[in-house]
Amino acid sequence: MASASVASVSEILERHGEALRLFADRVHAVREDQWSAPTPCTEWTVRDLVAHLTAEQLWVPPLVTERRTVAEVGDAFDGDVLGDDPVAAWDRAAAGARRAFEAPGALEGTVNLSYGDSAADAYCAQMVADAVVHAWDLSRAIGADERLPARLVDFAGREVGPYAKDLSQSGLFAAPVETAPDADPQTRLLAVLGRQA
């Protein structure tokens, strides 16, 4: 994964806010009968996908604000993080992550992640890319607008570019999908992450 940021701290924070709002918009659009619907992430339902992103946000305060290690946090966010109100659970977790990243000096220094230490700004940039791509997954699953904001597509493309070829080997991403030479940036971003637009 990346060890240095693809952008300035101000740009990362701006894109982070936009990415959280984009994903939140899709979460708030989920109908009651859609939580068990399939998503492009073949092992996940809509609820699983939202739970994954919610758990990721819950990790941010202990890692960024408290500077705890993954081992110290342990299994605190295993299991059902959504409870009876998935939308409210997402909103709380996203707000906590946003506060943690926005705190003065939060993106300086390092954080301890599952694969080792990382620059805090690079961690935030990775979180942006993840939220952007999963917003598309959620959009497709619930029949929402699949178009992603161009600035977020550009940012996510720059973020995943340096390590995109290694993602499918992690077992967390499907193999890249072939695209036409004139494919638009969103199609290319999704394709490199194993998604057919």
Side-chain angles (χ1 to χ4, degrees):
M1 292 291 186
S3 60
S5 147
V6 298
S8 67
V9 165
S10 61
E11 183 187 0
I12 293 170
L13 286 175
E14 190 172 342
R15 296 296 91 77
H16 180 256
E18 291 172 358
L20 287 182
R21 289 190 295 275
L22 175 67
F23 193 80
D25 180 69
R26 299 308 187 265
V27 172
H28 282 259
V30 178
R31 299 190 316 262
E32 279 304 312
D33 64 339
Q34 292 180 314
W35 289 102
S36 60
T39 72
C41 305
T42 55
E43 303 298 315
W44 287 345
T45 64
V46 166
R47 184 180 172 94
D48 295 331
L49 176 59
V50 174
H52 167 71
L53 263 290
T54 300
E56 282 201 341
Q57 309 317 308
L58 291 171
W59 275 94
V60 177
L63 296 179
V64 173
T65 305
E66 301 165 24
R67 301 294 184 183
R68 293 164 66 189
T69 66
V70 168
E72 288 168 342
V73 178
D75 62 1
F77 307 121
D78 288 357
D80 180 14
V81 297
L82 296 182
D84 295 333
D85 192 341
V87 175
W90 158 261
D91 286 344
R92 285 192 301 271
R98 185 67 181 157
R99 283 192 301 271
F101 278 133
E102 282 186 313
L107 296 191
E108 299 168 7
T110 60
V111 293
N112 179 256
L113 304 177
S114 58
Y115 52 84
D117 288 344
S118 171
D121 58 348
Y123 173 44
C124 188
Q126 291 164 21
M127 293 285 280
V128 172
D130 202 48
V132 170
V133 173
H134 284 316
W136 180 85
D137 293 329
L138 188 51
S139 298
R140 174 152 288 193
I142 67 172
D145 185 357
E146 296 179 12
R147 290 171 299 176
L148 300 171
R151 289 190 303 187
L152 288 177
V153 169
D154 174 68
F155 184 94
R158 285 185 286 135
E159 167 57 28
V160 303
Y163 53 84
K165 67 182 185 307
D166 300 323
L167 291 176
S168 62
Q169 298 170 5
S170 72
L172 301 175
F173 293 84
V177 174
E178 289 286 330
T179 60
D182 61 347
D184 63 82
Q186 176 173 319
T187 299
R188 292 198 303 271
L189 171 66
L190 294 170
V192 80
L193 297 173
R195 289 156 169 85
Q196 185 76 51

